[in-house]
């Protein structure tokens, strides 16, 4: 590769395997979503994919060496095109354990048994180097094996100190803030998934009104940041993608293919699904 004028081309000319971080409330189906990408294999730090008929490493990742072994194995010959890591936040204490193994004593010579024993947040900061090491391995899978990486994480409500307004609560990824920021920057897409909630008011008498949230399990993917949640994408996806109860999550794959001008190929398992989710999205727009 040379830096010459003849070599210049549009930045989006070549499609590359994507780095996707998807997080949601408990039990929404984020692992199922990851498994809808082309030819997936699941690597588990938690036992949450037992109901899925998807290739999976048989044992849980319980040590940093286990995670390294997964990445090494996938550099060999295999038919898989997507690595689904379930879940990123359950990997975090494993990363902390690796940091303690690598540096079992603090700068003052005290034995370290907990990541906070280094003092003043130093342990969390040092652990970022191990996170970056894993990022390098995942990037290698993308560049050398053409594998899409889907990282699954749980959400939690966090206080956000905005420089423009008073502090407020928002959904975020269930990671320490340093790791949170690191993975957010690394990912091509940060997708927040939640259930569709409608607010209804009810008159309870005496000129009083109460509001209740109601829903029927309809799911939505949010692709752009809003005050209530963190999200991003680099392809101009619609801010909200209505999924409903479609277990193939077809609407997302079709929207990504559309946004990329067809460079993203809709997975085979999705191509022949019905347009139920698309009809649902149209109904949502009409409301």
């Amino acid at each position: 590769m040379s830096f010459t004028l003849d070599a210049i081309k549009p930045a989006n000319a070549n499609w590359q395997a994507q780095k996707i971080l998807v997080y949601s409330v408990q039990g929404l189906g984020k692992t199922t979503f990851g498994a809808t990408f082309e030819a997936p294999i699941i690597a588990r730090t938690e036992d949450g994919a037992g109901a899925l008929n998807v290739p999976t490493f048989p044992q849980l990742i319980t040590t940093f060496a286990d995670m390294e072994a997964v990445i090494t194995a996938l550099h060999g010959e295999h038919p898989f095109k997507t690595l689904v890591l379930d879940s990123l936040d359950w990997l975090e204490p494993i990363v902390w354990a690796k940091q303690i193994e690598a540096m079992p004593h603090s700068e003052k010579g005290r034995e370290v048994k907990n990541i906070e024993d280094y003092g003043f947040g130093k342990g969390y900061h040092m652990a970022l180097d191990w996170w970056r090491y894993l990022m390098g391995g995942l990037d290698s899978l993308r560049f050398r094996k053409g594998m899409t990486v889907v990282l699954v994480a749980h959400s939690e409500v966090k206080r956000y100190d905005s420089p423009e307004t008073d502090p407020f609560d928002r959904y975020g990824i269930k990671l320490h803030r340093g790791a949170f920021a690191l993975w957010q920057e690394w990912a091509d897409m940060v997708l927040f998934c939640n259930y569709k909630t409608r607010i209804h008011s009810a008159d309870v008498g005496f000129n009083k009104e109460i509001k209740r949230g109601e829903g029927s399990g309809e799911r939505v993917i949010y692709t752009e940041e809003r005050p209530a949640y963190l999200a991003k994408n680099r392809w101009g996806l619609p801010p909200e993608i209505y999924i409903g109860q479609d277990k193939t999550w077809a609407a997302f794959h079709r929207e990504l293919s559309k946004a990329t001008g067809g460079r993203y190929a809709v997975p085979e398992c999705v191509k022949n699904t019905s347009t139920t989710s698309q009809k649902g999205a149209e109904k949502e727009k009409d409301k």
Side-chain angles (χ1 to χ4, degrees):
M1 182 181 297
S2 60
F3 290 92
T4 65
L5 295 179
D6 293 338
I8 294 175
K9 59 183 179 181
N12 64 355
N14 294 325
W15 173 262
Q16 292 183 333
Q18 294 292 283
K19 303 174 288 186
I20 302 170
L21 197 168
V22 54
Y23 73 108
S24 77
V25 296
Q26 190 77 18
L28 183 137
K30 48 191 175 291
T31 307
T32 302
F33 172 53
T36 63
F37 286 81
E38 192 71 30
I41 183 169
I42 300 176
R44 301 169 299 146
T45 58
E46 58 171 296
D47 196 8
L52 299 178
N53 185 21
V54 179
T56 307
F57 286 98
Q59 64 190 63
L60 295 180
I61 297 168
T62 59
T63 67
F64 197 84
D66 288 343
M67 189 67 228
E68 289 180 296
V70 166
I71 293 174
T72 299
L74 291 175
H75 275 84
E77 294 299 319
H78 59 76
F80 306 112
K81 297 181 180 179
T82 303
L83 169 62
V84 181
L85 177 61
D86 181 18
S87 65
L88 189 63
D89 46 294
W90 278 52
L91 182 60
E92 186 167 52
I94 295 174
V95 171
W96 293 345
K98 177 62 178 179
Q99 171 57 40
I100 295 171
E101 176 189 339
M103 187 176 174
H105 295 88
S106 69
E107 294 176 348
K108 296 182 179 180
R110 297 174 181 171
E111 183 180 4
V112 174
K113 297 182 179 180
N114 184 286
I115 194 68
E116 294 186 347
D117 290 346
Y118 292 104
F120 303 105
K122 292 180 180 179
Y124 300 111
H125 182 74
M126 288 186 289
L128 295 181
D129 286 338
W130 296 110
W131 280 125
R132 293 186 183 98
Y133 173 81
L134 293 179
M135 286 177 178
L138 297 177
D139 278 330
S140 180
L141 288 177
R142 291 175 55 242
F143 297 134
R144 296 187 181 188
K145 305 298 294 186
M147 295 188 72
T148 292
V149 177
V150 180
L151 306 175
V152 172
H154 299 89
S155 66
E156 66 177 352
V157 176
K158 297 185 178 185
R159 177 187 171 96
Y160 178 65
D161 294 315
S162 171
E164 298 179 332
T165 67
D166 291 336
F168 56 89
D169 289 342
R170 72 191 315 199
Y171 284 106
I173 304 163
K174 194 176 181 182
L175 292 171
H176 185 268
R177 61 181 179 273
F180 177 111
L182 198 65
W183 285 107
Q184 173 194 343
E185 293 171 3
W186 178 83
D188 295 313
M189 285 179 262
V190 177
L191 307 174
F192 174 58
C193 304
N194 205 352
Y195 294 108
K196 191 75 174 179
T197 303
R198 298 175 180 86
I199 305 299
H200 291 278
S201 299
D203 187 354
V204 294
F206 303 101
N207 295 321
K208 291 184 178 181
E209 185 179 80
I210 61 173
K211 294 184 178 181
R212 295 188 177 94
E214 298 180 358
S216 58
E218 300 167 289
R219 294 161 298 172
V220 179
I221 298 177
Y222 299 98
T223 70
E224 292 182 359
E225 185 170 353
R226 295 291 186 270
Y229 51 82
L230 170 75
K232 75 171 188 179
N233 79 92
R234 295 172 177 168
W235 296 104
L237 289 168
E240 298 183 17
I241 301 176
Y242 178 82
I243 301 298
Q245 298 184 11
D246 175 19
K247 294 183 179 180
T248 69
W249 299 70
F252 172 82
H253 295 288
R254 293 187 179 115
E255 289 291 354
L256 182 56
S257 181
K258 180 180 177 182
T260 59
R263 287 189 293 275
Y264 172 73
V266 175
E268 290 296 327
C269 67
V270 173
K271 285 182 179 179
N272 298 322
T273 58
S274 67
T275 58
T276 301
S277 56
Q278 291 178 322
K279 293 177 180 178
E282 293 173 0
K283 290 180 180 179
E284 286 297 308
K285 291 179 181 178
D286 293 337
K287 290 182 179 179

